[in-house]
């Protein structure tokens, strides 16, 4: 599976959690890959919910979101999030704009949580750079 999510916004999400630490390019790539896998998995669940309701369009509520944030408040771009949502679901499904924004918000929160933990791991290792190993260690500890 190729990574659809650009690394720059993921890097920005990590950086807003780092304080004075640096971020390796590999860390942004590792987190982008994990965020993408998580988004594709969430979309499969949302598609199952939509199907159970007799719909072919994914809505924000299918992702468990009642109130959709403003698009401008998000770091993650919507177009790649739309592509992520479609990675593992049938082509006959549509993804509403609210669903795309809701998924982007969920994925951004997810990335923030992982980034905060990776920063803690980098501090614990007495390093000044968040590395891909910090991202992978987080998932090995908490998955």
């Amino acid at each position: 599976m190729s990574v659809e999510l650009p690394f720059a916004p993921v890097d920005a999400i990590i950086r807003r959690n780092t304080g004075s630490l640096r971020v390796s390019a590999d860390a942004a790539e590792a987190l982008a890959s994990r965020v993408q896998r998580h988004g594709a998995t969430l979309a499969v669940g949302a598609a199952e919910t939509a199907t159970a309701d007799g719909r072919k369009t994914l809505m924000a509520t299918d992702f468990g979101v009642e109130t959709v944030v403003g698009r401008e408040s998000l770091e993650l771009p919507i177009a790649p999030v739309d592509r992520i949502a479609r990675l593992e679901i049938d082509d006959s499904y549509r993804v509403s704009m609210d669903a795309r924004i809701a998924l982007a918000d969920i994925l951004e929160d997810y990335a923030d949580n992982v980034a905060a933990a990776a920063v803690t791991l980098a501090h614990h290792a007495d390093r000044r750079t968040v590395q891909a190993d910090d991202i992978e260690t987080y998932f090995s500890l908490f998955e």
Side-chain angles (χ1 to χ4, degrees):
M1 168 186 328
S2 68
V3 179
E4 299 287 339
L5 198 57
F7 300 151
V10 176
D11 182 77
I13 292 169
I14 298 172
R15 286 180 191 283
R16 71 181 176 210
N17 288 279
T18 61
S20 63
L21 295 182
R22 294 175 292 197
V23 179
S24 75
D26 290 342
E29 183 177 355
L31 184 53
S33 177
R34 291 294 190 143
V35 165
Q36 178 170 305
R37 268 187 259 154
H38 184 62
T41 300
L42 291 174
V44 169
E48 291 169 357
T49 301
T51 299
D53 288 347
R55 292 182 282 108
K56 285 291 192 177
T57 301
L58 304 186
M59 310 297 275
T61 55
D62 298 328
F63 290 99
V65 175
E66 296 299 324
T67 305
V68 179
V69 300
R71 182 178 187 168
E72 63 284 344
S73 69
L74 297 172
E75 189 74 42
L76 295 178
I78 301 303
V81 170
D82 179 46
R83 290 191 297 273
I84 289 168
R86 296 169 190 278
L87 285 173
E88 301 290 329
I89 62 174
D90 188 87
D91 289 340
S92 64
Y93 286 99
R94 293 181 308 250
V95 183
S96 73
M97 183 55 77
D98 279 353
R100 294 174 204 170
I101 294 169
L103 180 57
D105 187 32
I106 291 167
L107 295 179
E108 198 162 313
D109 286 344
Y110 177 79
D112 262 326
N113 291 333
V114 174
V119 167
T120 300
L121 291 168
H123 279 298
H124 181 71
D126 201 28
R127 279 187 278 100
R128 295 185 332 161
T129 304
V130 176
Q131 300 175 351
D133 286 346
D134 299 316
I135 303 294
E136 295 306 326
T137 298
Y138 168 83
F139 285 104
S140 68
L141 290 171
F142 298 106
E143 263 191 347

